[in-house]
Amino acid sequence: MTFDHIIIRFGELSLKGRNRKQFIDCLQSNVKRKLTGFADIRVKRSFDKMFVLLNGQPYMPIIEQLQEVFGIQSLSLALKTESDLEAMKTGALAAIRELDNVRTFKISARRIEKSFPIRSDKLNREIGAHVLKNADVKVDVHHPDVDLKVEVKKKFTFISGIRFPGAGGLPVGAGGKGMLMLSGGIDSPVAAFLMMKRGAVVEAVHFHSPPYTSERAKQKVVDLCRELTKFGGTIRLHVVPFTNAQETINRSVPDNYRMTIMRRLMLRISERIAQQHGALAVATGESLGQVASQTLESMNTINEVTNMPVLRPLLAMDKTEITAIAKKIGTYDISIRPYEDCCTIFVPAAPKTKPRRDKANHFERHLETEKLIEEAVAQTEILSFDREDATSEEFHELF
């Protein structure tokens, strides 16, 4: 007898009232998608849990995949037995022997099926005594190495041991779609991760300015998108040609307002693409006070050009916190590749940290803003990435 199930617990989803089924449907779909490569497993669910039937598959690779699925609070290895005392004893002993480095244990029995004739406290004693007699372990009811849970149902019983943490949050797809401005730096991929953690589908928009920015800079963003797919399935990337717009701004706008006008134009283009593709908000990786364009005065002036919600998941984080998350989710090493993006070219020596709306509007009168937007949007290239994709041949041929 060995572990033959993984139990998935929902956490926050249990609080969703009448919308609960919709959230759990979304989670089940994401779980099945994540486990597509494991041919023999099956996914089932009950009212408050989901179950993965292993059918002989090794459990750790599956648990590692599930730990990247938002909406899962925790995971437990479990084995299924008959709702019979002797079967429970055998199962509990097998579970203890299966686990590594267990020196102390406790039994926590619970009768989901109240008609089962043996009360929970007696089950604890009977099963615990059997394990104690047949395995080299001791009982510790306060701080055990493993708390073996025995859940007695009508037709069967689950015995579960080690619990693994899940990713938490809400299932991707349950929270609408956001259009993320993805620069290729450390911050914006973290913003994408946090958006997905709250259930949003993320599409990315990247501004590319050849020959000032290289194909390697573009490849970096492609690799970031591919890395992020492990949390959110398919991600679409909108690559906006931005060279003409940047050159025009550089020629027409005073040095200290170029950054502000560029960000306003980027936001307008992102909004237009968001509207075309059903996104309900634009998201950025901005952190308050980090650079000149991220002061409250700058954000106020830049936000003037859109009525769409602008989400900033990193606003209250400092660089240390953002970097720690980037390392944890696997985007940091990609982000620090030394290739410039469009935000690091034509950078003025002294950008305005407190730009005014009236002055920004004044300088934009010298630009054909609508023409620049239409030109950029019309020439935008759309790429789509899935976790199962092979590395993009299109880009690898460049190297």
Side-chain angles (χ1 to χ4, degrees), residues 316-360:
M317 291 187 183
D318 61 32
K319 198 68 177 181
T320 302
E321 294 170 301
I322 297 168
T323 300
I325 297 175
K327 289 179 177 177
K328 182 180 177 183
I329 65 176
T331 57
Y332 179 79
D333 288 341
I334 302 172
S335 292
I336 61 172
R337 292 177 192 167
Y339 308 126
E340 289 190 327
D341 60 38
C342 67
C343 294
T344 58
I345 60 176
F346 301 128
V347 177
K352 200 75 172 174
T353 56
K354 297 181 179 180
R356 287 166 40 186
R357 287 186 171 189
D358 59 340
K359 287 201 170 185

Side-chain angles (χ1 to χ4, degrees), residues 6-8 10 24 27-28 43-45 49-51:
I6 295 171
I7 298 176
I8 296 173
F10 301 151
I24 295 175
L27 175 61
Q28 186 171 14
V43 178
K44 292 186 174 181
R45 79 191 210 198
K49 295 183 183 67
M50 207 171 290
F51 304 91

Side-chain angles (χ1 to χ4, degrees), residues 358-369:
D358 59 340
K359 287 201 170 185
N361 286 315
H362 170 73
F363 296 132
E364 284 178 347
R365 292 195 187 103
H366 304 290
L367 299 175
E368 294 181 289
T369 304

Side-chain angles (χ1 to χ4, degrees), residues 115-340:
S115 64
F116 187 76
I118 304 174
R119 296 178 63 86
S120 298
D121 54 350
K122 187 174 182 182
L123 280 175
N124 289 339
R125 292 195 300 273
E126 293 278 349
I127 298 171
H130 182 72
V131 172
L132 201 58
K133 182 179 178 182
N134 292 283
D136 185 19
V137 289
K138 296 179 180 178
V139 173
D140 183 343
V141 296
H142 299 295
H143 305 288
D145 292 335
V146 60
D147 181 359
L148 213 59
K149 297 189 181 303
V150 179
E151 290 191 6
V152 184
K153 300 192 177 186
K154 188 172 184 178
K155 295 181 179 177
F156 56 84
T157 293
F158 272 119
I159 300 173
S160 59
I162 299 292
R163 184 177 289 212
F164 301 85
L170 299 172
V172 173
K177 183 191 291 185
M179 189 64 63
L180 176 84
M181 296 169 68
L182 186 63
S183 70
I186 295 171
D187 300 349
S188 49
V190 175
F193 168 80
L194 295 177
M195 289 280 292
M196 288 188 280
K197 185 171 183 179
R198 295 312 301 164
V201 171
V202 169
E203 292 196 16
V205 56
H206 176 69
F207 295 87
H208 187 47
S209 297
Y212 305 106
T213 59
S214 69
E215 288 299 319
R216 285 178 171 80
K218 185 176 171 183
Q219 177 65 43
K220 184 166 77 165
V221 174
V222 167
D223 290 344
L224 285 170
C225 285
R226 184 166 283 111
E227 188 67 22
L228 289 167
T229 59
K230 67 186 180 188
F231 302 108
T234 301
I235 292 182
R236 293 209 297 177
L237 171 64
H238 304 262
V239 181
V240 179
F242 203 53
T243 308
N244 184 43
Q246 279 198 283
E247 289 178 337
T248 303
I249 292 169
N250 198 38
R251 287 194 302 268
S252 312
V253 176
D255 186 83
N256 61 347
Y257 264 80
R258 283 178 196 159
M259 181 67 72
T260 303
I261 302 302
M262 183 186 76
R263 297 291 297 181
R264 282 164 64 105
L265 188 59
M266 284 178 165
L267 189 55
R268 288 184 174 105
I269 293 170
S270 298
E271 180 191 51
R272 189 71 57 87
I273 294 173
Q275 289 169 342
Q276 290 180 352
H277 295 273
L280 300 174
V282 172
T284 78
E286 292 170 308
S287 167
L288 185 60
Q290 186 167 213
V291 296
S293 65
Q294 296 177 17
T295 63
L296 277 182
E297 291 84 355
S298 285
M299 292 179 191
N300 178 269
T301 298
I302 293 166
N303 266 38
E304 184 188 18
V305 301
T306 181
N307 290 319
M308 186 169 274
V310 180
L311 308 180
R312 297 179 170 92
L314 311 185
L315 191 73
M317 291 187 183
D318 61 32
K319 198 68 177 181
T320 302
E321 294 170 301
I322 297 168
T323 300
I325 297 175
K327 289 179 177 177
K328 182 180 177 183
I329 65 176
T331 57
Y332 179 79
D333 288 341
I334 302 172
S335 292
I336 61 172
R337 292 177 192 167
Y339 308 126
E340 289 190 327

Side-chain angles (χ1 to χ4, degrees), residues 53-66:
L53 284 65
L54 294 171
N55 284 327
Q57 296 278 320
Y59 53 76
M60 275 315 298
I62 296 173
I63 286 176
E64 288 170 0
Q65 291 291 311
L66 291 175

Side-chain angles (χ1 to χ4, degrees), residues 74-89:
S74 68
L75 304 147
S76 289
L77 286 171
L79 57 84
K80 186 178 176 181
T81 74
E82 296 176 4
S83 288
D84 170 84
L85 179 57
E86 291 306 313
M88 293 178 206
K89 289 179 179 177

